[in-house]
Structure formats: structure tokens, C-alpha cells
Amino acid sequence: MTTSRPEAPRSIWAVPGMTALAVVAFTGFSGYAALLPVAPLWAVRGGADSAGAGLVNFVLLGTTVATQFFVPALIRRLGWGHALALGMVLLGAPALLHVVSDALAPTLALSAVRGVGFGILTVAASAAAVLVVSAGRRGAAVGAYSLALSVPNVVLMPSGAWVAQAWGFGPVFVLSALPLLGIPACYVLGRHLPERATRGPGHVDVPDAPAGASTYRALVRPTLVLLAITLAGGALITFAPQLVATGWLAAAGLFSLGLLSAVTRWRVGALADRVGAARLVWPFVLVAVAGLAWVAWLVRTEVGGDRVVPWVLACALVGVAYGALQNLTMLRAFEAAGPRRVGAASAVWNAGFDAGTAVGAVLVGTVAVGAGFGVGMAITAVLCLLTLPLALGRRGGRTPRPGVRSP
């Protein structure tokens, strides 16, 4: 008599550990998103000039990227629960300490500590998203994880500055400490993540193994595609208020970008499980090029109320590609790195995301000084187009079916 293999749960949320992962992502990214636009304002209140204010998030992202490459070793040393909890403490606790001083030096120091915590969270949580499920459901798992982290980005990032101006900085600092509430979920999630190797064929239950040069070479293709789209997205997010005539137009464009990005990043995961992530990358690269070219055409001159519909639709089109390519390049990175290099793939992907976002703002801002924002945004469209051969190359099949636990 043969025993049939149990069917995978219908809903991805029924997979053990997924709800805990969503709590970790939601609380952790709430702490990041709420303070991102507000910490520079806090430094300005303390007397910093625009250059000093710009350093605040530069330090945050710089320490984030510097930390991300050490996270796989940290997980091997501390275990999943302790490593995730440490990231949440370092991200959430310094937010409350901002109230002590608005001077630039302590603000930068706290941003650096928060960057270390955010670096741990981003790498560990995205790796957990593929390890907590069977291989055939990792697209849906990454989509669910992306939805949980996207909600704070859509809601809190645009509203943080308004809350600080209307009700004071204190409520924002409290919101930014939400990662501390996610610490219990870190240990719940850790119980559903692999701690040691299992000898069954194709079955790898390790947090990560040290990566070599071949691993990083395999990650070049998805990382360059990710760099191009995050460079473009970072530029649009940074300069939207300067591209349009009024604040509400900037908010409308950014809301459409954020909302479509969140929804697409969520839903494209399940589609990738069915048809394979590799088959979906190149169409969304073309969507990105079309959306960015449209934005570049519109912002040759300042966008006013008479072009609100084209502006919102163009931002939405960019948002569709921005969200989809984040999910798909993450899945491609895990596929390229292989089952024993999940942490390395997560570290490289997250570093690429943050680096692309930072470079986009600098590049487009520099070009805009001499040639205008239309040319600057057109360059982002060209850079995305140049990644099309990378998106078309080495197209793989669909993701392995459920049954063997492999990231």
C-alpha cells in the first residue's frame, strides 16, 4: 500500500512560519519606512544644512550595504531567531533615542546603528522567505513577504513627514520602534527554518554555506537587472516633488507607483511558480523602459494639473515593472546561487537594491543640473533597455515542484 504525499496548503499563509515572517517584515519595514523621510528633517531642525540632512540616509543605506555581506555568517553563528531579533533591536531601539538630541552627529550615529539592523533584517528575512517553503512555492512566498513589507512603504513612507509636521516628531519615533514588537515573531519564524544539513539527496537544510567567486559570477545577471530598475525607481521617488508643479501631484504619482509596485510584486510570485521566473523578466524590462520613457517625455517641462492623468499612469507603469522585477530578480538570484548559497544570494540582492536606489538619486540629480530631468529620466530608460540581453539570456524552466525542501 502506497502513501500519497500530502498536498501543499492551498494558501501560502497556511504554510508554517509564513505568518511569523509577515509579522517580522511588517514591523521591521515599518520602522524603516516611517523614519526614512523624517530623520533628515529632524537633523535640519537641529541646525543641519541640506548637505548634512542628505548624509542621514546616506549613512543609513551605507551601513546597510556594508552589513549585508556579513549576515550569512551571523546566522550561522547565532541562529535564525537570535540574528533576526538582533536586527530588530538595532533597527527599532535607536529610533526612540532620536528624541534625546536633534544635533547632526548623534542623528548620524543612530542612523548608522539602524542601518546595521536593517541590513540584518533585509538579508535574513528574504532568505527566510525561500527557506520556509518547498521550492515549488518560493515565488508565492516571496510575493507574500513582499506584500507584508510593501504596506509600510506605501502607507508610512509618504505620510511620515506629514505626521511629523502635523503632530510632532514624537509619534514618528514611536512608530519607528515597531520592530521591537516583532521580536517574538523572529523566534517563532526561526523554529521553522533549517538549522543543520540533512543528507537526503537534493535536500539542503542549512542557513548558508560560504560563497566563492563562481557564486558571485552567477549573481551578476539578476543583480544588474535589479540595479537598473532600482536606479530608475530611486530617481523617480527622490525627484518626484521637483518634476511636478504641486505637492499633491507628486504624492499622487508616488502613490500610484507604490501601490502598483506592491500589488505586482505580490502577485507575480505565484505566476513565477507556474511558468518560471526567467520567462517573465524580459517582458517587465520592456514595461520599465516604456514607463520611464513616458515619464521622461512628460517631465521635459514641469508637469501641471493638465497632465495629471498621463503622469499618474506613467508612474503606475513604472511601478508595475519596479515591483515585478524586484520579485523576479530575487527569485533568479536564488536560482543562480544554488541551494547552499541562499544567504549569499540574499546579501547580494539586497546590496544591489540599496546601491541602485542611492546611485539613481545621485546620477539623475547630477544630469538634471546641466540637462534637465527629462534627459536624466531618459538615461534611466536607456540603462534598463541595456539590461534586456541579460534578461533574455539563460532562460530557465519553471520552478521545481513541491516535495523537496530546497531554496
Side-chain angles (χ1 to χ4, degrees), residues 240-327:
Q242 299 176 53
L243 301 177
V244 296
T246 60
W248 69 268
L249 272 174
L254 290 178
F255 180 77
S256 67
L257 183 147
L259 180 62
L260 269 295
S261 172
V263 172
T264 309
R265 191 174 177 186
W266 168 37
R267 297 306 304 167
V268 80
L271 179 61
D273 283 340
R274 292 196 296 271
V275 304
R279 292 191 175 100
L280 298 174
V281 176
W282 70 267
F284 283 105
V285 168
L286 293 179
V287 172
V289 172
L292 291 166
W294 194 1
V295 169
W297 177 261
L298 289 171
V299 303
R300 291 172 303 136
T301 57
E302 191 175 57
V303 177
D306 58 328
R307 288 186 285 172
V308 59
V309 174
W311 163 250
V312 170
L313 290 178
C315 289
L317 196 60
V318 175
V320 168
Y322 187 58
L325 289 174
Q326 286 177 53
N327 187 317

Side-chain angles (χ1 to χ4, degrees), residues 289 381-390:
V289 172
V382 172
L383 290 174
C384 283
L385 183 61
L386 291 176
T387 67
L388 187 60
L390 300 176

